[in-house]
Amino acid sequence: MDKVCAIFGGSRGIGRAVAQVMSQKGYRLAIVARNLEGAKAAARDLGGDHLAFSCDVAKEHDVQNTFEEMEKNLGRVNFLVNAAGINRDNLLVRAKTEDMISQLHTNLLGSMLTCKAAVRTMIQQQGGSIVNVGFIHTDMTKNLKEEHLKKSIPLGRFGEPMEVAHAVVFLLESPYVTGHVLVVDGGLQLIV
């Protein structure tokens, strides 16, 4: 099986860190982001023959077209990383309905749509891996009140994208690990 991986949200944060680790391991990558220039810059920084694609994961037609383009240019996608996401964090009473809907469409529906597209190919080739990523301290979460949150984490600090990237690659490359939630949170779930 070829090592072709699509990384949605691959132009920055966790997705970019995953791309760095996977490119070092010899994967052929599709770096996918809403912003094509950002995706191209990330792919270029990796060297090699990785490709960049633009896609709004909240739009099924965009997702389907992107998978068709990836297959045409890289081959069948047998590894998928969903790291695309937006943050519209606010108190519920202050949250705008359109922000909540936008966040649900991107973070939840988007992951479901990319999984749906990838699974079709994975069923045909009788194999593949998908990892859906949560969030840690990246530019997407930079406006959170850090000091208060850090006190809640037993390790006393936020995780770094590269720490999560290694966990993502572990899951992708572990053929007998399936349906598992791997918590990479510095021990936060221990106190919740």
Side-chain angles (χ1 to χ4, degrees):
M1 182 162 58
D2 287 336
K3 292 166 64 171
V4 176
C5 180
I7 304 174
F8 284 80
S11 66
R12 55 188 203 152
I14 296 169
R16 191 172 189 140
V18 170
Q20 290 169 345
V21 174
M22 296 187 80
S23 69
Q24 293 168 1
K25 291 177 156 276
Y27 287 80
R28 293 174 54 217
L29 303 176
I31 307 299
V32 187
R34 228 182 242 181
N35 179 313
L36 183 58
E37 291 309 311
K40 284 180 178 180
R44 195 172 34 252
D45 288 348
L46 295 171
D49 60 352
H50 309 296
L51 299 179
F53 299 88
S54 174
C55 179
D56 181 347
V57 295
K59 297 178 180 172
E60 188 168 14
H61 191 265
D62 272 15
V63 172
Q64 290 172 346
N65 287 344
T66 301
F67 270 86
E68 288 170 12
E69 286 298 310
M70 288 187 295
E71 190 168 314
K72 185 168 56 174
N73 292 290
L74 288 170
R76 288 188 172 180
V77 172
N78 37 39
F79 297 93
L80 169 64
V81 176
N82 279 314
I86 59 172
N87 184 16
R88 302 289 187 261
D89 199 29
N90 205 342
L91 292 174
L92 184 59
V93 295
R94 293 185 190 154
K96 296 177 182 172
T97 302
E98 57 269 17
D99 286 344
M100 291 187 281
I101 291 170
S102 178
Q103 193 165 342
L104 281 170
H105 281 185
T106 300
N107 299 359
L108 178 61
L109 180 62
S111 292
M112 294 171 73
L113 292 174
T114 57
C115 286
K116 179 181 175 181
V119 165
R120 287 184 181 132
T121 299
M122 292 176 183
I123 288 171
Q124 291 173 350
Q125 61 191 13
Q126 298 182 348
S129 296
I130 299 172
V131 174
N132 296 311
V133 178
F135 77 92
I136 59 163
H137 191 234
T138 63
D139 62 336
M140 188 174 93
T141 60
K142 67 183 174 197
N143 293 324
L144 298 178
K145 299 200 179 346
E146 293 186 23
E147 291 309 313
H148 172 71
L149 291 173
K150 277 197 248 185
K151 291 176 185 173
S152 302
I153 301 171
L155 290 183
R157 66 177 179 83
F158 287 109
E160 294 296 325
M162 195 55 76
E163 292 172 310
V164 177
H166 288 291
V168 169
V169 174
F170 165 76
L171 289 172
L172 289 172
E173 293 184 333
S174 300
Y176 206 64
V177 176
T178 187
H180 184 72
V181 175
L182 179 61
V183 179
V184 183
D185 69 355
L188 186 61
Q189 92 286 349
L190 297 173
I191 60 170
V192 175

